[in-house]
Amino acid sequence: MYTAVYKKVRGGYAAWIEEISGVNTQGKTKQEARENLQDALKMMLAAQRELSRKESRGDKVERERFVFAE
């Protein structure tokens, strides 16, 4: 679970994920900012996953699903 932060700014809302640097966006409404934030998080995770796969190409590694519960 992550924490979404919304800040009212001129023209709408700025939004970011508190725990993950670089996942931020904006929207004219809070709902639009929320939807954009979901997209931003999905894109960041996909990009990190791809980068990790490229960096470990040729290495013997194991991958598994990891579920984090506080």
Side-chain angles (χ1 to χ4, degrees):
M1 182 180 330
Y2 302 107
T3 307
V5 180
Y6 302 94
K7 180 179 180 181
K8 183 84 168 113
V9 296
R10 185 173 22 174
Y13 287 85
W16 61 92
I17 298 293
E18 195 167 66
E19 297 85 358
I20 304 177
S21 179
V23 179
N24 48 54
T25 190
Q26 60 189 24
K28 289 184 180 181
T29 65
K30 187 175 174 185
Q31 180 61 35
E32 183 180 337
R34 182 180 292 116
E35 291 168 3
N36 292 343
L37 195 55
Q38 290 174 351
D39 290 341
L41 179 57
K42 287 177 189 176
M43 288 189 300
M44 173 69 88
L45 293 175
Q48 286 298 116
R49 198 173 291 118
E50 180 65 22
L51 181 61
S52 174
R53 290 180 190 281
K54 284 182 180 179
E55 288 178 349
S56 64
R57 189 174 291 138
D59 296 337
K60 184 174 174 139
V61 299
E62 294 181 37
R63 289 185 169 80
E64 67 181 17
R65 302 267 299 155
F66 182 78
V67 178
F68 174 76
E70 287 186 68

